[in-house]
Amino acid sequence: MLQKKNAVLVDGVILNGPIMDSKAGEKFVEDACKIIMEEVVQKADDITEKVCEWQAPEKLKQILDLEMRDTGECDQKVLQLCRDVIKYSVKTNHPRFFNQLYAGIDYYSLVARFITEALNPSVYTYEVSPVFLLVEEAVIKKMIEFIGWEEGDGIFNPGGSVSNMYAMNLARYKFCPEIKEKGLSGLPRLVLFASEECHYSMKKAASFLGIGTENVYFIKTDERGKMIPEELEKQVQRARKEGSAPFLVCATAGTTVLGAFDPLDKIADICEKHGLWFHVDASWGGSALISRKHRRLLHGIHRADSVAWNPHKMLLAGIQCCALLVKDNTGLLKKCYSAEAAYLFQQDKFYNVSYDTGDKSIQCSRRPDAFKFWLMWKALGTVGLEERVNRALALARYLVEEIKKREGFQLLLEPEYANVCFWYIPPSLRKMEDGPEFWQKLHQVAPIIKERMMKKGSMMLGYQPHWGKVNFFRQVVISPQVSREDMDFLLDEIELLAKDL
């Protein structure tokens, strides 16, 4: 190499030509894509495949050979690692994966993710990300229309938790703009309000922002998990009497466990009365806005000051795809978050710098998450997205009616969304008297069934205790690959796995 003509050597490193073998790299990508197609995409709707290939952590460490060494592995060994990773990962696109508030596969969104991974963009300035900035602007505008605002602003974030934190900080900035420069010193005790059923990210955000978790007043909910407006009014008045400064109310449109929707119109009345920022965490339930049949669940959301909405949940846009939408159109987001980094956001560029939207974000590097939602929306149209929502909720209703017919299954409550919560009471407990011993024994049933289904790989279904209620299953319908037969299988499989309990 040193004898090459015109070779340049700096600090012992030859600088002539690239050091990466592009042809070998292209071949590796081609081989890896074939594995992805065969083992992930083509098996996505195959119910004969396992949902998971369960291994205990220590065993899985040995299988995967996780150690990183001084010298690299050959491509064939790396491709085998790719196969192993796929084999031992949970197949969230499987029709019988019901474990979380996301599931299934959308092929258009998947292709969009392939494109963005290959291009490796960062969405902060138009000069480095022209297409994806325009796409994000178009998607935010359309989502704002579905909320019912005439104008607004927004930003895509890495998760609904971050969107809620953005909203909390934005509400605080609107309440006392000087906090951005002067900090927390000299401020009154700030108080915010959220329901008992709100997402835990509200506590985390209060902690992270220095507000303090003790200053989150949790409002009582009714038997369905909805915030009680009268209790909110009491707590706002209590905070004022204590000398605190209320500044924010967070309502939830689609709670995590029960799928409850807070009464947004009544909460908006209280916010207007007391001059409070009204945020709606619609991370889970926001996609009901797409459905003409079910958007009534979010009646009053147009009165919110900000909304968190995650298309990666019900609409299958792919994790992660989460937007914070803001009614304000005076640049409040940018005023709150901008740092005016001169090396990125020069004001004398040769194009319209209003398209350099990255200063609205607390991030610098930011993924083009809106693109996968946009490409999917373009392919399916609003009608196609609406069909997904309607079908998911129809399947949930079918499951509810089947649960009512079967001995041993008991609903917690009639769902209004895609969350179906129920107990399975095995034969040995069905004649027991309702009392502490019965509930103690029933509490142990769901974890055992969950262990068995995981080790068998037949399906995945979540369970939890909740507000004094012993462990129950929470079944969530999302994926378009799910059918009526899968609902029947779920109930049959629970009975089979628990027959000896």
Side-chain angles (χ1 to χ4, degrees):
M1 296 258 328
L2 286 171
Q3 293 174 358
K4 268 190 172 183
K5 189 178 181 181
N6 299 323
V8 176
L9 189 70
V10 176
D11 292 337
V13 179
I14 297 172
L15 303 184
N16 295 59
I19 63 168
M20 187 179 291
D21 186 342
S22 297
K23 291 299 180 184
E26 291 167 10
K27 179 66 167 57
F28 176 78
V29 171
E30 185 178 337
D31 291 343
C33 284
K34 185 179 179 182
I35 293 171
I36 294 169
M37 279 299 300
E38 291 175 352
E39 299 300 321
V40 180
V41 178
Q42 291 174 1
K43 292 181 178 179
D45 60 351
D46 188 349
I47 59 174
T48 66
E49 292 288 324
K50 288 186 175 183
V51 178
C52 63
E53 189 74 46
W54 170 259
Q55 297 290 339
E58 294 306 317
K59 178 73 179 299
L60 190 55
K61 288 178 185 179
Q62 295 174 6
I63 293 172
L64 294 177
D65 183 21
L66 295 171
E67 184 181 350
M68 292 152 284
R69 301 175 178 85
D70 290 341
T71 56
E73 312 279 4
C74 69
D75 281 0
Q76 287 307 308
K77 190 165 184 180
V78 176
L79 288 170
Q80 184 56 48
L81 284 172
C82 293
R83 291 188 184 93
D84 290 342
V85 166
I86 292 169
K87 179 178 180 180
Y88 295 106
S89 291
V90 173
K91 310 306 186 291
T92 63
N93 46 28
H94 194 287
R96 291 169 183 171
F97 175 81
F98 307 116
N99 209 66
Q100 312 298 147
L101 298 185
Y102 66 91
I105 183 171
D106 177 84
Y107 301 103
Y108 302 106
S109 168
L110 182 61
V111 168
R113 282 179 275 172
F114 287 160
I115 291 171
T116 56
E117 290 300 318
L119 290 172
N120 196 34
S122 182
V123 186
Y124 35 56
T125 62
Y126 184 82
E127 64 183 280
V128 298
S129 195
V131 173
F132 299 119
L133 275 168
L134 294 180
V135 164
E136 183 174 72
E137 179 185 61
V139 172
I140 286 172
K141 182 179 178 182
K142 195 70 175 177
M143 293 174 81
I144 282 170
E145 287 179 17
F146 275 92
I147 290 172
W149 298 335
E150 293 182 2
E151 57 183 11
D153 198 358
I155 192 91
F156 273 76
N157 303 307
S161 295
V162 175
S163 293
N164 287 335
M165 186 184 73
Y166 265 74
M168 190 179 294
N169 193 49
L170 194 62
R172 183 174 66 175
Y173 175 77
K174 180 68 185 277
F175 183 77
C176 45
E178 64 275 11
I179 193 174
K180 181 177 178 180
E181 295 180 353
K182 299 185 183 301
L184 296 171
S185 59
L187 284 180
R189 179 187 172 219
L190 298 176
V191 168
L192 64 105
F193 309 89
S195 89
E196 293 175 329
E197 296 279 341
C198 75
H199 192 258
Y200 65 84
S201 59
M202 298 309 293
K203 284 182 73 172
K204 286 196 171 189
S207 172
F208 186 84
L209 294 171
I211 292 169
T213 57
E214 290 184 0
N215 296 320
V216 182
Y217 284 20
F218 293 105
I219 310 303
K220 291 179 182 178
T221 56
D222 62 19
E223 68 282 353
R224 297 192 57 81
K226 299 171 179 286
M227 185 191 293
I228 302 172
E230 294 77 12
E231 293 295 326
L232 172 62
E233 176 67 35
K234 289 178 186 177
Q235 292 301 317
V236 173
Q237 292 183 12
R238 169 196 158 196
R240 293 207 187 280
K241 288 177 182 177
E242 292 171 346
S244 302
F247 74 103
L248 166 68
V249 173
C250 175
T252 309
T255 59
T256 305
V257 177
L258 302 179
F261 287 74
D262 288 340
L264 303 182
D265 242 350
K266 292 181 179 179
I267 294 170
D269 289 341
I270 295 170
C271 290
E272 286 184 8
K273 175 182 174 182
H274 295 281
L276 306 175
W277 184 281
F278 182 26
H279 174 64
V280 177
D281 178 8
S283 297
W284 172 221
S287 295
L289 289 168
I290 299 290
S291 167
R292 286 164 289 186
K293 183 176 183 180
H294 298 291
R295 67 174 54 151
R296 55 179 173 72
L297 292 169
L298 297 104
H299 179 72
I301 196 171
H302 65 284
R303 299 176 65 186
D305 295 295
S306 57
V307 174
W309 178 358
N310 294 3
H312 77 231
K313 296 184 184 290
M314 178 64 77
L315 297 178
L316 280 81
I319 291 178
Q320 54 208 16
C321 188
C322 315
L324 173 71
L325 306 163
V326 182
K327 184 184 288 186
D328 176 89
N329 199 32
T330 66
L332 187 67
L333 258 178
K334 187 174 181 180
K335 292 172 189 174
C336 179
Y337 291 109
S338 67
E340 300 176 344
Y343 73 94
L344 269 181
F345 304 110
Q346 305 93 331
Q347 297 303 296
D348 55 357
K349 292 181 180 181
F350 63 93
Y351 59 86
N352 183 352
V353 295
S354 68
Y355 287 100
D356 290 355
T357 58
D359 221 10
K360 293 192 293 187
S361 170
I362 59 173
Q363 299 169 255
C364 181
S365 300
R366 192 165 62 90
R367 296 171 62 88
D369 291 327
F371 178 64
K372 51 198 169 190
F373 188 28
W374 176 81
L375 194 67
M376 182 179 73
W377 204 332
K378 290 285 285 185
L380 299 176
T382 304
V383 172
L385 297 179
E386 180 182 31
E387 183 182 3
R388 285 188 176 175
V389 176
N390 291 344
R391 189 170 189 276
L393 296 188
L395 277 169
R397 175 47 50 192
Y398 172 82
L399 180 62
V400 167
E401 296 307 315
E402 289 302 304
I403 285 173
K404 291 176 182 177
K405 296 175 187 176
R406 295 209 186 197
E407 186 180 5
F409 289 88
Q410 182 178 326
L411 284 171
L412 262 74
L413 74 170
E414 288 281 343
E416 60 179 341
Y417 201 45
N419 309 46
V420 181
C421 299
F422 63 93
W423 287 288
Y424 177 68
I425 305 167
S428 64
L429 299 182
R430 290 175 195 169
K431 293 183 180 180
M432 279 189 69
E433 290 186 12
D434 188 343
E437 185 182 1
F438 168 80
W439 291 107
Q440 184 181 6
K441 287 181 178 295
L442 185 60
H443 186 63
Q444 301 171 47
V445 170
I448 295 173
I449 296 175
K450 178 64 178 281
E451 178 184 356
R452 291 178 177 182
M453 73 174 71
M454 290 283 289
K455 290 181 175 178
K456 185 178 177 182
S458 56
M459 63 181 184
M460 279 186 68
L461 179 66
Y463 75 87
Q464 63 282 300
H466 191 67
W467 291 109
K469 292 181 171 65
V470 303
N471 282 326
F472 58 87
F473 290 111
R474 180 201 65 173
Q475 202 276 355
V476 181
V477 184
I478 298 174
S479 171
Q481 276 92 358
V482 175
S483 67
R484 174 192 63 78
E485 291 82 359
D486 295 313
M487 299 294 95
D488 294 338
F489 173 84
L490 179 142
L491 301 180
D492 292 341
E493 185 71 357
I494 288 175
E495 288 181 327
L496 178 66
L497 294 170
K499 64 182 180 181
D500 63 332
L501 295 184

